[in-house]
């Protein structure tokens, strides 16, 4: 499984897109600011990072969250990579677009995720970007990309904005109000304030 070590990720300029050199047969399944992800087997993938410091941060967050329903299983890491559970399913964005609605089960999982992240000391709830949340074949949400879990962003702005864009913010907030009135007040107050 170690021939993934020949995969490299670089950036030509500070704001340029990530450049991936993949001489292997492992398919690229995603890339972002910090690295690129390749499918290794039916149940494992590897994330190759641009910077070793992000490996350390993501590994720490993943290990801290092991056993929680939304955290992918952590298997191994090296100087520039992490091997983790491969999530076979659509992003939450694609799933919700296809469904056209948000179920109480999905809302409950998002509320529980927020509470567990707080309990773990993850202060960057804006990491719950809707494209970083996947729905597995059992309808369980899994969150990937945890390297910045400790940056201070207590409101999941991008999640709430995405739900607004999909026309699902009102049913979502109604469900949150029933499940956790305090969280509802926090998010509803944030959404009611003008933003730049």
């Amino acid at each position: 499984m170690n021939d993934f070590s020949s995969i490299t990720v670089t950036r030509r300029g500070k704001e340029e897109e990530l450049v991936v050199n993949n001489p292997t047969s492992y398919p690229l399944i995603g890339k972002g600011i910090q690295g690129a992800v390749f499918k290794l087997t039916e149940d494992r993938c590897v994330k190759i990072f641009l910077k070793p410091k992000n490996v350390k941060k993501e590994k720490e967050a993943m290990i801290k969250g092991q056993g929680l329903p939304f955290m992918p299983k952590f298997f191994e890491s090296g100087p520039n990579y992490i091997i983790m559970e491969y999530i076979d399913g659509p992003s939450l964005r694609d799933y919700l677009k296809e469904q056209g609605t948000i179920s109480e089960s999905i809302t409950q999982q998002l509320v529980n995720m927020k509470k567990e992240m707080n309990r773990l000391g993850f202060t960057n709830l804006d990491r719950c970007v809707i494209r970083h949340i996947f729905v597995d074949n059992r309808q369980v949400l899994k969150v990937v990309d945890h390297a910045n879990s400790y940056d201070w962003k207590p409101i999941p702005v991008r999640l709430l904005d995405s739900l607004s864009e999909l026309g699902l913010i009102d049913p979502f907030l109604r469900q949150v109000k029933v499940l956790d009135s305090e969280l509802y007040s926090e998010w509803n107050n944030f959404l009611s304030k003008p933003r730049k």
Side-chain angles (χ1 to χ4, degrees):
M1 194 186 302
N2 280 332
D3 66 338
F4 66 79
S5 63
S6 60
I7 301 172
T8 59
V9 293
T10 56
R11 194 178 309 283
R12 288 200 182 107
K14 191 171 185 175
E15 300 298 320
E16 303 250 346
E17 186 178 345
L18 203 65
V19 177
V20 175
N21 175 29
N22 180 10
T24 75
S25 60
Y26 296 126
L28 173 70
I29 56 173
K31 67 178 181 172
I33 294 169
Q34 298 168 351
V37 183
F38 303 85
K39 185 176 179 182
L40 297 176
T41 66
E42 290 306 309
D43 67 342
R44 294 181 189 212
C45 61
V46 63
K47 183 172 183 180
I48 309 291
F49 288 83
L50 193 59
K51 298 177 181 175
K53 71 176 184 175
N54 289 331
V55 175
K56 183 180 179 202
K57 291 184 340 185
E58 185 143 346
K59 176 183 175 181
E60 179 184 324
M62 288 188 75
I63 288 173
K64 197 171 190 180
Q66 286 302 284
L68 293 173
F70 65 85
M71 186 66 73
K73 290 180 187 136
F74 171 86
F75 294 109
E76 169 188 335
S77 68
N80 71 329
Y81 72 89
I82 288 179
I83 297 176
M84 67 187 94
E85 175 184 9
Y86 169 70
I87 310 303
D88 187 17
S91 71
L92 182 56
R93 171 181 284 286
D94 292 343
Y95 177 83
L96 292 174
K97 277 171 99 171
E98 184 181 305
Q99 299 295 311
T101 186
I102 186 164
S103 69
E104 189 173 319
S105 169
I106 295 292
T107 299
Q108 178 72 64
Q109 289 181 72
L110 291 168
V111 167
N112 290 346
M113 191 183 301
K114 195 269 189 200
K115 290 178 179 179
E116 287 296 332
M117 288 178 154
N118 278 348
R119 186 182 66 75
L120 291 174
F122 293 2
T123 52
N124 187 355
L125 296 181
D126 204 25
R127 294 308 305 153
C128 290
V129 181
I130 201 166
R131 66 185 169 82
H132 290 168
I133 303 173
F134 290 85
V135 184
D136 75 9
N137 55 14
R138 296 168 301 142
Q139 311 290 291
V140 174
L141 300 183
K142 300 281 187 175
V143 182
V144 298
D145 198 5
H146 294 276
N148 295 319
S149 292
Y150 299 104
D151 293 351
W152 179 253
K153 293 181 183 174
I155 302 286
V157 176
R158 293 184 283 184
L159 172 68
L160 297 173
D161 285 348
S162 293
L163 291 172
S164 291
E165 289 167 18
L166 292 169
L168 299 174
I169 195 66
D170 290 336
F172 173 72
L173 287 176
R174 280 194 298 273
Q175 292 172 5
V176 171
K177 188 174 186 178
V178 171
L179 296 167
D180 188 321
S181 60
E182 189 176 310
L183 188 59
Y184 165 79
S185 294
E186 179 184 332
W187 287 351
N188 193 49
N189 287 342
F190 170 77
L191 289 169
S192 66
K193 292 177 183 172
R195 287 188 275 158
K196 295 178 183 178

